[in-house]
Amino acid sequence: MANDILQAVETLRTLRAEVPVSATLHVWLKATGTDEPGTMAFILDGEKIGDVSVSNCEEYVFRPFVAVSGGNLSCVYDTATTAVSVAYFFNAAEVVDKGITVMHTSVANAPAPVPHGYHFRPPFGWMNDPNGFGRFDGRPHLFYQHYSHGLRWNTMHWGHAISTDYIHWHHMPIFLFPSEDLTARPDRRGGAFSGSAIPLENAAGIRVFFTEQVSERIPETQIQLTATSHNIITASQAEVILANRPSGLGLTLDFRDPYVVKGPDGLWKMVLGSLSHQGGVILLYETDDPAAATGWRFVGTLLLEERFGTAVIECPCLIPLDGPVEGTETRWALIYGLMNSLETKTGRKNLTLIIVGRFDGVRFHREFEQELDFGTDNYAFQAFVDQDTAVGIGWLANWADVSHTIDFPTAMTLPRNLLLRGNEVLTPPVPAVETLRAGMIDDSRLMAGEAVALDDGAVEIVLDLTGPGAAVELAFGHPLVTLGVGVNEEGLLISYAAPGQEGGPRYIATGAKPQNLRIFLDVGSIEVFADGGRWAGTKRIEGFEPLQSVRVVSGVGAIRSARIYALKLNRAT
């Protein structure tokens, strides 16, 4: 080992791994003071093969490095001059199949301690909205809002993961990065905000669309950008496609979350969320460019939402539900989140709605609407049509509970299909959730009124009631929160109270009279699907303690059958 690396032995730290040929390393480091740069040296089988350095002492800076030969790699840095947040490696030829290997995280950005969890979580750092959800080159891809270096919202990147079935995921390299200006100025929050992705025309790869936010930028803090990727690993330099909000509508600075879809007239359409003096709005754009790269023009306001207070529309999504895009009889779903919304009857905040109707490429003709999730912790929901069936996923959290002053680890919801049945949209979990079943825990004791232990808390409970709306109440044992699920004359509800949060919102699907319930429990969450997903309720549970038990508080006679399955994620899949 080189002599310069052996100096200051007491403060040296080494990350070690056996790496493949042509391993690409991604590391984030910063200087711990202003006198010397932060550095990391790379030593392969005892020989120094290179190093990286940074001068920034305010925020971690990304540095890539390629180890051409495989072998025993040591990444050496001096803690007296250098702090390291994240380090991982991958082989570009194999990463789509195998994902990345994480070498290092810190206490500040460590992954959640949920070894038995089956919900998607990032390998490190903060996560919120799903982005660019779609099937590309034959596989489902999930991008998401991400900050690598802590568990609180900060300067946004896009994380990335790939699946074969929407349940088993492996992590990919960080896909989108904030601008160098934002990295150098951590006081100017922003970065690569939410957006969507489409396949590249006549080529492998994708085109992504996203909002770039830079606080204090004048006149627009939020603008729309696009970038491409032929390998679905790294993105090209992003280009601005919409530099300004449409004028004359009295819009606030909110102008974000582009979702792009092919319209019934064959043109690419883009919907964006904003807020006017009248209420939340969804803005519609289109382009004649078959590649969707240029020529975007404003068409008009697709929707105005005047209910629920001063609510900014976020993460709009527009998809055909029951027919081909070009079909004149095809019904479409317009899905959107309402940031800062309040339903006064229940106290629930930040609702998400689905409106179903006809879309002619310019106007949306409403037929009916329903709420996406009565638990409201299924936010920023994004969906697309995958082989004739719509599938979507949401952020398993709610901005009403997020604080920028405390760590807030989160997950994604179970992926869900969107199925049209008359004037109802059903959102059941994707069929692959049944691959999680690892054995029966109980099929008799719960019905007999006994409390049933839930092992590690990762379970599915299936209840068939004696009739629609048959009254029943379940209570779950948890060391920190009070949690229950019930059906009564008011509807279907999730009761939840954390310490100090008594008297909070009522999570209820008013008027619901379900006969079948599927309840998915995991560390940090409960998801309830009733009557094939006609009603869905999602609630984040504070902390990392598993649910310990379940019992029927009332209505044992209303249960025709009850089964409890242990769930386990086969991480080798």
Side-chain angles (χ1 to χ4, degrees):
M1 186 182 298
N3 290 334
D4 58 330
I5 299 174
L6 286 173
Q7 296 174 4
V9 172
E10 292 183 359
T11 55
L12 284 184
R13 294 291 183 273
T14 303
L15 312 177
R16 292 185 174 89
E18 190 72 23
V19 300
V21 173
S22 299
T24 298
L25 284 87
H26 285 179
V27 298
W28 280 259
L29 59 160
K30 69 179 179 180
T32 56
T34 58
D35 297 332
E36 296 183 56
T39 62
M40 175 177 282
F42 302 104
I43 301 164
L44 189 66
D45 295 331
E47 295 294 327
K48 182 178 177 182
I49 59 173
D51 55 40
V52 294
S53 65
V54 298
S55 58
N56 195 333
C57 61
E58 297 293 333
E59 179 62 285
Y60 291 99
V61 177
F62 167 70
R63 288 290 183 264
F65 183 82
V66 177
V68 177
S69 301
N72 187 352
L73 180 70
S74 297
C75 306
V76 183
Y77 64 101
D78 187 346
T79 59
T81 61
T82 308
V84 178
S85 173
V86 176
Y88 60 75
F89 68 86
F90 60 94
N91 178 284
E94 300 177 336
V95 68
V96 169
D97 295 312
K98 297 182 178 180
I100 63 172
T101 298
V102 178
M103 298 176 66
H104 173 77
T105 61
S106 68
V107 173
N109 63 354
V114 288
H116 302 293
Y118 54 87
H119 284 77
F120 178 84
R121 293 178 183 268
F124 42 79
W126 162 272
M127 178 182 72
N128 58 294
D129 304 359
N131 301 149
F133 190 45
R135 181 180 290 273
F136 307 112
D137 293 346
R139 306 185 193 210
H141 288 249
L142 171 65
F143 301 88
Y144 54 90
Q145 291 284 273
H146 180 61
Y147 177 68
S148 301
H149 315 303
L151 300 176
R152 305 175 191 179
W153 185 94
N154 206 296
T155 304
M156 287 291 96
H157 305 55
W158 274 27
H160 183 199
I162 297 180
S163 180
T164 56
D165 61 359
Y166 297 107
I167 298 298
H168 301 86
W169 298 89
H170 60 256
H171 300 294
M172 293 286 286
I174 301 300
F175 185 77
L176 283 179
F177 296 81
S179 67
E180 288 290 335
D181 179 55
L182 283 173
T183 301
R185 288 277 310 278
D187 58 308
R188 299 183 68 189
R189 294 290 183 252
F193 275 30
S194 293
S196 57
I198 62 172
L200 284 177
E201 186 185 35
N202 302 321
I206 59 174
R207 176 176 294 281
V208 299
F209 305 86
F210 65 97
T211 299
E212 182 193 60
Q213 172 163 311
V214 177
S215 62
E216 302 176 7
R217 179 169 55 193
I218 297 174
E220 304 288 355
T221 61
Q222 297 180 351
I223 61 176
Q224 314 315 315
L225 279 68
T226 187
T228 59
S229 175
H230 290 275
N231 59 15
I232 320 186
I233 301 172
T234 57
S236 67
Q237 180 67 39
E239 299 179 351
V240 177
I241 52 173
L242 292 175
N244 300 96
R245 296 161 290 161
S247 60
L249 299 180
L251 301 179
T252 64
L253 292 175
D254 302 285
F255 178 51
R256 57 180 174 267
D257 309 337
Y259 183 88
V260 174
V261 64
K262 187 64 70 71
D265 53 8
L267 301 181
W268 287 109
K269 309 291 179 176
M270 178 191 294
V271 287
L272 291 124
S274 187
L275 175 67
S276 72
H277 61 275
Q278 293 178 277
V281 294
I282 296 178
L283 307 171
L284 177 65
Y285 287 76
E286 67 181 13
T287 181
D288 299 313
D289 180 3
T294 61
W296 287 97
R297 59 181 176 269
F298 179 56
V299 176
T301 298
L302 193 64
L303 178 135
L304 170 65
E305 178 59 77
E306 299 177 278
R307 300 167 293 175
F308 310 112
T310 305
V312 181
I313 287 184
E314 293 192 312
C315 303
C317 176
L318 178 65
I319 57 171
L321 278 183
D322 66 345
V325 167
E326 68 278 5
T328 57
E329 298 302 312
T330 296
R331 291 197 287 180
W332 292 65
L334 185 59
I335 308 167
Y336 56 96
L338 286 163
M339 180 68 169
N340 301 323
S341 61
L342 172 65
E343 186 190 53
T344 55
K345 288 183 179 180
T346 62
R348 296 176 306 142
K349 299 179 180 179
N350 302 324
L351 309 179
T352 299
L353 300 181
I354 305 175
I355 298 178
V356 174
R358 315 283 180 176
F359 176 54
D360 62 12
V362 176
R363 292 169 297 275
F364 192 92
H365 304 277
R366 177 194 305 248
E367 294 184 4
F368 70 90
E369 79 169 34
Q370 67 184 60
E371 194 171 352
L372 175 71
D373 195 292
F374 71 88
T376 68
D377 283 2
N378 175 11
Y379 193 71
F381 191 79
Q382 188 168 104
F384 75 103
V385 177
D386 185 8
Q387 302 172 351
D388 299 325
T389 301
V391 60
I393 195 169
W395 181 42
L396 209 163
N398 191 305
W399 286 112
D401 301 323
V402 175
S403 169
H404 290 184
T405 63
I406 61 172
D407 292 347
F408 192 79
T410 57
M412 293 297 180
T413 67
L414 284 175
R416 304 167 187 197
N417 289 133
L418 289 86
L419 309 173
L420 191 60
R421 185 181 67 185
N423 287 338
E424 298 175 333
V425 178
L426 279 59
T427 59
V430 295
V433 297
E434 294 193 7
T435 66
L436 295 170
R437 291 179 178 175
M440 183 82 72
I441 292 177
D442 174 62
D443 62 359
S444 60
R445 288 174 290 147
L446 188 66
M447 287 185 62
E450 299 178 29
V452 179
L454 299 180
D455 298 338
D456 59 19
V459 302
E460 176 191 359
I461 302 172
V462 181
L463 295 182
D464 291 308
L465 306 182
T466 55
V472 66
E473 183 181 358
L474 303 180
F476 300 93
H478 190 278
L480 299 177
V481 306
T482 301
L483 180 69
V485 171
V487 179
N488 59 28
E489 66 280 0
E490 290 186 87
L492 169 65
L493 65 137
I494 298 173
S495 56
Y496 177 85
Q501 296 181 358
E502 290 76 8
R506 296 189 69 223
Y507 302 105
I508 183 168
T510 303
K513 296 184 179 300
Q515 188 166 350
N516 173 270
L517 301 177
R518 293 180 74 186
I519 303 170
F520 289 84
L521 305 176
D522 199 358
V523 173
S525 67
I526 179 171
E527 291 170 278
V528 180
F529 301 92
D531 285 4
R534 169 57 188 89
W535 298 279
T538 305
K539 185 71 190 78
R540 180 181 183 269
I541 300 171
E542 189 68 27
F544 297 117
E545 294 293 332
L547 291 152
Q548 299 172 341
S549 63
V550 59
R551 63 186 178 91
V552 180
V553 177
S554 62
V556 170
I559 302 175
R560 178 178 289 123
S561 67
R563 303 179 301 282
I564 305 178
Y565 300 93
L567 301 184
K568 182 178 181 181
L569 185 66
N570 179 3
R571 299 186 185 277
T573 299

